[in-house]
C-alpha cells in the first residue's frame, strides 16, 4: 500500500486531500487479530468495526439481530389495539408518507392484513396539495368517511396540531414513525417510535419500514396468543423492509444490516408481483443489490409521490393482481422519465443561478414554477457540485398570497436543519425545519434575499471549518492487475453497502488515460493503463458537473492518481469489473 499517495495527494480539480479512512499503522495489527485478508481488514477497520465484532458484521442474521419487539415503547399496546379493531371488523386506515419508506411500510401491513382476511384502507397525502404528514383537513376527511382507526406510517410523530385535532374530533390514531420528535409527544392511542424521548429500545437507526416490521412481529405474536393464524410468513415481507431501509438512507448497521442482507434475497426471489413488474419495466434482473433498490426501483416508486399519484407506490407493492401491478409499474416508469426531464431542466437553471453564488457560504437559488417534488434532488446535486449547503426554492406566484417552498441539503459538519428552524423563529419563514443534513421550508418570496443574509451569518463559520476538514476518504490502494472477481468477492462480503457502510473507495497510482469518449447523459467512458500495461475500463458519471470531462478528454500523456469505486458489470453471462471514477490528481514528480 502506498501511504504517500493517499496522505499527501490533493486533487487538482476538487481541491480535496485524499486520506485513509483509518490509521494505516493499525492495519497489520488489526488484520492479525481478526485473521482477515488485508483488504477486508482495511474495510472493516475503516468502518469502525472492532476486532471482536467482525464475525457478526460479516454474517448478520435476523435471529441474532432482531430484539424483542416489546423493547419498543407502545408496540404491544399498538398490536393489541389493531387486532381489537380487526376482530370487531372496524375500518382501519393506513396514513403513509408518499416516499419509498412510507410505501413499503404500508405494503407490509396491507399484505399482513390480507393474510388474516382483513383489508386495511390507505390514504397517502399529495405532496403538492397537502404537504408532508397528517393534516387537519385529512383527518376531517377520514372522520367523515367513518374511519374507526388511523395508523400513521413514516409520519405523525411531530404532527402536534393535526393529532390534537384528531383527539378533539374523536378520531383514534396510532403513530408508527422513526423521525426525531420533541419532548412532548402528540396525543395518540399508541406512539411507536424508537426516537421518542422515553424509548429504550436503542433502535433509533431504523427506517419506518424497519419499525413497521417490528410492529408486525408484535402483531403476529399477539395474533397467535388469540388463536389467530396468519397465512403470511413475516420473512416474505423482508424484501419490502429492505427496500424501504435502503431508500431512506439510514445506517446499514445492527438490525438494519441484517434486514438488508436477508431482505435482498427475498426481493430477488421475484415473489412480489409489484417488484417483479417494476423490475421488468426497468430492464433489471435479480439478484438485486442495494444499487437496484436505491437507484432503479426506488426512484420509480418515489416518482409517484413526487409528480404523480401519491399512493401508486404502496398499491404497486401490495397488490396480488398481475394486471394491476404492470399497469402501476408502467405508469411509474413513465412518470419517472418525466421526473428526470423536469429534474434536468431545473438543474440546469439552478446551476446557472448558483454560479453567481459560488463564493457564498450557503447556495440559495430560487425561481418561479420549480416543482416542489424535484427541488430536493436538485439541492443535493448543487451540494455535491459546490461542496456547500444548498437550498433550492420554487416560487408559486399563482397562490394567494404567493408562496415559496424550498428544500435543502447540507455537508458534514454543518447543521442545516437547525439553521432553518432558527430562520423560522426569526420570522423569515412561514414554517421550516429538518435535521443536520437536510431541511425544508415555506416562506414569503419577498424574504428570500433576507434568508440568504441570515444563512450566511448563521452558517458561515461552520461551512469554512467543514471545508477545511473536507477530504476524500480512501479505503485501499490497488494495482490495476489486482482487480479480479476474487477481489470483488472479498469486497462484497463486507456489504451490503449504503449509509453507515459506504461503498469502498479505491485509489490507483500512476496511471494514464488511454481512451476517453463522451457518452449520452454527460458521462465519459474511459480506460486507464499503468506502467506495467495493466488496463481497466470505467465511466465517470455526470463528468461535466465535476469538470472531470475536460481532464479525461484532454489527458494526453499526463500521469494521474485515480480515485473511485469498483463495480461488477454482468453482460450476457460474462462479468467485467468497471471503475467508476470520482476524482483525479496529477502525479507530481
Amino acid at each position: 500500500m502506498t501511504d504517500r499517495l493517499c496522505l499527501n495527494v490533493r486533487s487538482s480539480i476538487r481541491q480535496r486531500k485524499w486520506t485513509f479512512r483509518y490509521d494505516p499503522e493499525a492495519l497489520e495489527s488489526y488484520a492479525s487479530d481478526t485473521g482477515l485478508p488485508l483488504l477486508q481488514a482495511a474495510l472493516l477497520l475503516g468502518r469502525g468495526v472492532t476486532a471482536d465484532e467482525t464475525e457478526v458484521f460479516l454474517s448478520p442474521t435476523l435471529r441474532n439481530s432482531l430484539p424483542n419487539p416489546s423493547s419498543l415503547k407502545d408496540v404491544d399496546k399498538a398490536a393489541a389495539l389493531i387486532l381489537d379493531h380487526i376482530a370487531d371488523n372496524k375500518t382501519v386506515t393506513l396514513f403513509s408518507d408518499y416516499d419509498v419508506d412510507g410505501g413499503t411500510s404500508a405494503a407490509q401491513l396491507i399484505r399482513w392484513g390480507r393474510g388474516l382476511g382483513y383489508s386495511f384502507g390507505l390514504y397517502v397525502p399529495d405532496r403538492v396539495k397537502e404537504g408532508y404528514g397528517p393534516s387537519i383537513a385529512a383527518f376531517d376527511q377520514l372522520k367523515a368517511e367513518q374511519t374507526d382507526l388511523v395508523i400513521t406510517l413514516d409520519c405523525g410523530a411531530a404532527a402536534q396540531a393535526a393529532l390534537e385535532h384528531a383527539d378533539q374530533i374523536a378520531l383514534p390514531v396510532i403513530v408508527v414513525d422513526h423521525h426525531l420528535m420533541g419532548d412532548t409527544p402528540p396525543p395518540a392511542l399508541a406512539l411507536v417510535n424508537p426516537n421518542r424521548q422515553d424509548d429504550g429500545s436503542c433502535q433509533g437507526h431504523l427506517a419506518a419500514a424497519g419499525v413497521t416490521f417490528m410492529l408486525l412481529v408484535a402483531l403476529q405474536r399477539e395474533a397467535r396468543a388469540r388463536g389467530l393464524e396468519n397465512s403470511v410468513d413475516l420473512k416474505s415481507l423482508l424484501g419490502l423492509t429492505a427496500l424501504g431501509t435502503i431508500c431512506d438512507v439510514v445506517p446499514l448497521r445492527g438490525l438494519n444490516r441484517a434486514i438488508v442482507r436477508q431482505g435482498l434475497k427475498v426481493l430477488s426471489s421475484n415473489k412480489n408481483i409489484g417488484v417483479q413488474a417494476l423490475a421488468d419495466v426497468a430492464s433489471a434482473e435479480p439478484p438485486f443489490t442495494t444499487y437496484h433498490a436505491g437507484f432503479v426501483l426506488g426512484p420509480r416508486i418515489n416518482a409517484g409521490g413526487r409528480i404523480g399519484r401519491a399512493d401508486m407506490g404502496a398499491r404497486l407493492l401490495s397488490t396480488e393482481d398481475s394486471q394491476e401491478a404492470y399497469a402501476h409499474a408502467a405508469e411509474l416508469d413513465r412518470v419517472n422519465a418525466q421526473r428526470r426531464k423536469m429534474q434536468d431542466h431545473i438543474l440546469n437553471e439552478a446551476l446557472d443561478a448558483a454560479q453567481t453564488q459560488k463564493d457564498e457560504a450557503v447556495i440559495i437559488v430560487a425561481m418561479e414554477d420549480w416543482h416542489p417534488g424535484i427541488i430536493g434532488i436538485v439541492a443535493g446535486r448543487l451540494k455535491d457540485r459546490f461542496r456547500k449547503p444548498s437550498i433550492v426554492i420554487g416560487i408559486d406566484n399563482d397562490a394567494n398570497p404567493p408562496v415559496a417552498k424550498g428544500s435543502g441539503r447540507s455537508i458534514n459538519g454543518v447543521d442545516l436543519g437547525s439553521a432553518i428552524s432558527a430562520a423560522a423563529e426569526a420570522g423569515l419563514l412561514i414554517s421550516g425545519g429538518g435535521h443536520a443534513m437536510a431541511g425544508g421550508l415555506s416562506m414569503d418570496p419577498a424574504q428570500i434575499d433576507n434568508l440568504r443574509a441570515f444563512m450566511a451569518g448563521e452558517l458561515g463559520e461552520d461551512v469554512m471549518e467543514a471545508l477545511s476538514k473536507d477530504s476524500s476518504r480512501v479505503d485501499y490502494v490497488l494495482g490495476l492487475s489486482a482487480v479480479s472477481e476474487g477481489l470483488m468477492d472479498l469486497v462484497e462480503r463486507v456489504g451490503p453497502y449504503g449509509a453507515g457502510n459506504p461503498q469502498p473507495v479505491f485509489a490507483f497510482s500512476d496511471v494514464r488515460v488511454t481512451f476517453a469518449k463522451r457518452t449520452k447523459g454527460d458521462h465519459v467512458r474511459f480506460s486507464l493503463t499503468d506502467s506495467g500495461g495493466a488496463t481497466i475500463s470505467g465511466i465517470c458519471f455526470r463528468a461535466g458537473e465535476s469538470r472531470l470531462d475536460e481532464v479525461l478528454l484532454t489527458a494526453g500523456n499526463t500521469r494521474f492518481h485515480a480515485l473511485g469505486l469498483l463495480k461488477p458489470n454482468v453482460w450476457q453471462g460474462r462479468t467485467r469489473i468497471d471503475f467508476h471514477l470520482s476524482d483525479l490528481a496529477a502525479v507530481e514528480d
Side-chain angles (χ1 to χ4, degrees):
M1 191 181 292
T2 312
D3 293 2
R4 177 191 62 79
L5 165 66
C6 293
L7 296 180
N8 295 323
V9 164
R10 183 180 292 272
S11 67
S12 55
I13 292 178
R14 298 191 174 184
Q15 291 301 301
R16 281 182 180 171
K17 187 177 180 181
W18 297 2
T19 59
F20 279 123
R21 201 183 296 275
Y22 51 88
D23 178 4
E25 295 182 1
L27 179 57
E28 289 191 13
S29 174
Y30 183 89
S32 176
D33 291 343
T34 59
L36 294 171
L38 206 59
L39 170 59
Q40 281 188 334
L43 298 181
L44 293 173
L45 180 61
R47 284 148 183 78
V49 180
T50 63
D52 58 358
E53 293 173 333
T54 56
E55 184 176 349
V56 172
F57 188 90
L58 292 173
S59 302
T61 64
L62 209 60
R63 180 188 296 273
N64 294 332
S65 302
L66 185 69
N68 185 334
S70 298
S71 63
L72 275 175
K73 184 80 172 179
D74 277 3
V75 75
D76 291 326
K77 183 192 295 186
L81 288 166
I82 292 168
L83 281 167
D84 286 346
H85 280 73
I86 290 175
D88 293 338
N89 201 29
K90 291 185 176 180
T91 302
V92 181
T93 299
L94 307 178
F95 189 111
S96 81
D97 190 19
Y98 36 64
D99 69 357
V100 179
D101 196 19
T104 54
S105 297
Q108 287 180 80
L109 269 167
I110 290 170
R111 285 179 170 273
W112 179 85
R114 191 178 293 137
L116 279 179
Y118 181 82
S119 297
F120 286 102
L122 178 65
Y123 186 105
V124 183
D126 183 277
R127 180 192 293 261
V128 177
K129 297 177 181 177
E130 301 178 74
Y132 168 77
S135 64
I136 291 174
F139 280 162
D140 280 341
Q141 178 181 331
L142 291 173
K143 180 67 175 179
E145 293 173 353
Q146 299 185 328
T147 293
D148 297 304
L149 175 67
V150 175
I151 305 173
T152 70
L153 298 169
D154 195 27
C155 57
Q160 193 78 31
L163 266 77
E164 286 176 355
H165 180 73
D167 188 48
Q168 292 168 3
I169 63 175
L171 177 65
V173 178
I174 291 173
V175 173
V176 181
D177 202 353
H178 71 124
H179 291 103
L180 298 177
M181 53 187 291
D183 294 338
T184 304
L189 289 181
L191 198 160
V192 184
N193 183 349
N195 283 306
R196 61 183 287 178
Q197 297 293 325
D198 57 350
D199 185 273
S201 66
C202 300
Q203 299 299 320
H205 58 290
L206 289 176
V211 179
T212 300
F213 185 81
M214 288 191 67
L215 171 62
L216 287 172
V217 176
L219 279 166
Q220 197 83 316
R221 183 174 61 188
E222 177 67 14
R224 287 173 180 163
R226 299 186 183 199
L228 302 173
E229 288 297 327
N230 193 312
S231 61
V232 172
D233 181 356
L234 290 187
K235 289 182 181 178
S236 70
L237 302 177
L238 275 173
L240 295 173
T241 319
L243 184 57
T245 298
I246 294 165
C247 291
D248 220 51
V249 201
V250 292
L252 297 190
R253 305 298 287 266
L255 177 55
N256 284 342
R257 184 169 167 77
I259 285 172
V260 172
R261 175 72 73 87
Q262 303 304 318
L264 285 173
K265 296 176 184 176
V266 176
L267 205 67
S268 299
S269 68
N270 264 347
K271 292 182 179 178
N272 184 309
I273 186 62
V275 172
Q276 182 181 345
L278 198 60
D280 284 349
V281 299
S283 300
E285 295 182 0
F288 297 131
T289 64
T290 52
Y291 169 80
H292 292 97
F295 296 97
V296 178
L297 304 175
R300 287 168 168 81
I301 297 169
N302 264 333
R306 291 189 184 280
I307 62 173
R309 208 179 81 206
D311 65 352
M312 199 180 305
R315 296 197 183 280
L316 167 77
L317 297 172
S318 60
T319 186
E320 298 286 0
D321 184 315
S322 176
Q323 186 174 352
E324 180 185 11
Y326 276 88
H328 283 323
E331 178 63 9
L332 285 171
D333 190 58
R334 184 194 68 78
V335 171
N336 188 55
Q338 181 184 353
R339 186 270 306 169
R340 285 199 300 264
K341 291 180 180 178
M342 293 174 62
Q343 177 183 315
D344 290 344
H345 175 72
I346 294 173
L347 177 62
N348 288 333
E349 292 184 334
L351 283 169
D352 288 342
Q355 285 293 340
T356 64
Q357 301 179 40
K358 61 183 179 181
D359 295 326
E360 301 295 326
V362 181
I363 304 287
I364 301 179
V365 296
M367 191 170 291
E368 187 175 353
D369 295 332
W370 279 350
H371 196 287
I374 306 295
I375 54 178
I377 302 174
V378 175
R381 296 281 287 274
L382 293 186
K383 179 263 299 182
D384 292 340
R385 170 67 178 83
F386 295 98
R387 293 165 53 219
K388 292 179 179 179
S390 300
I391 299 174
V392 178
I393 299 173
I395 302 171
D396 182 1
N397 281 324
D398 292 331
N400 188 20
V403 65
K405 294 183 179 180
S407 184
R409 299 293 183 268
S410 194
I411 59 177
N412 289 327
V414 180
D415 189 343
L416 181 62
S418 293
I420 292 176
S421 295
E425 292 173 5
L428 296 175
L429 308 177
I430 299 170
S431 63
H435 53 80
M437 301 302 290
L441 57 87
S442 177
M443 66 187 300
D444 180 346
Q447 292 279 18
I448 291 174
D449 285 339
N450 292 332
L451 178 65
R452 288 192 180 101
F454 180 88
M455 285 295 181
E458 192 79 5
L459 296 177
E461 292 184 5
D462 291 343
V463 171
M464 288 183 63
E465 183 177 356
L467 291 179
S468 70
K469 299 176 180 177
D470 191 25
S471 65
S472 294
R473 298 300 184 91
V474 182
D475 285 289
Y476 209 72
V477 182
L478 291 169
L480 293 181
S481 59
V483 178
S484 65
E485 290 188 42
L487 179 136
M488 294 309 297
D489 288 340
L490 291 175
V491 171
E492 288 306 311
R493 177 109 191 273
V494 183
Y497 295 106
N501 186 27
Q503 283 280 350
V505 177
F506 296 102
F508 295 106
S509 181
D510 204 351
V511 297
R512 287 184 171 84
V513 180
T514 50
F515 165 80
K517 179 181 179 181
R518 194 183 299 275
T519 66
K520 184 179 179 181
D522 196 29
H523 313 315
V524 174
R525 272 274 175 199
F526 62 86
S527 295
L528 302 178
T529 303
D530 64 17
S531 59
T535 298
I536 192 169
S537 298
I539 188 168
C540 181
F541 290 107
R542 300 194 299 269
E545 286 183 31
S546 62
R547 293 174 293 163
L548 285 169
D549 57 341
E550 300 172 11
V551 180
L552 289 166
L553 295 168
T554 63
N557 289 319
T558 304
R559 291 153 49 216
F560 294 101
H561 304 306
L563 200 67
L565 313 175
L566 291 173
K567 297 279 190 175
N569 184 352
V570 180
W571 177 250
Q572 295 184 341
R574 301 182 62 182
T575 300
R576 182 185 73 189
I577 300 170
D578 276 349
F579 182 53
H580 291 196
L581 182 73
S582 60
D583 208 354
L584 284 170
V587 173
E588 297 181 4
D589 293 318

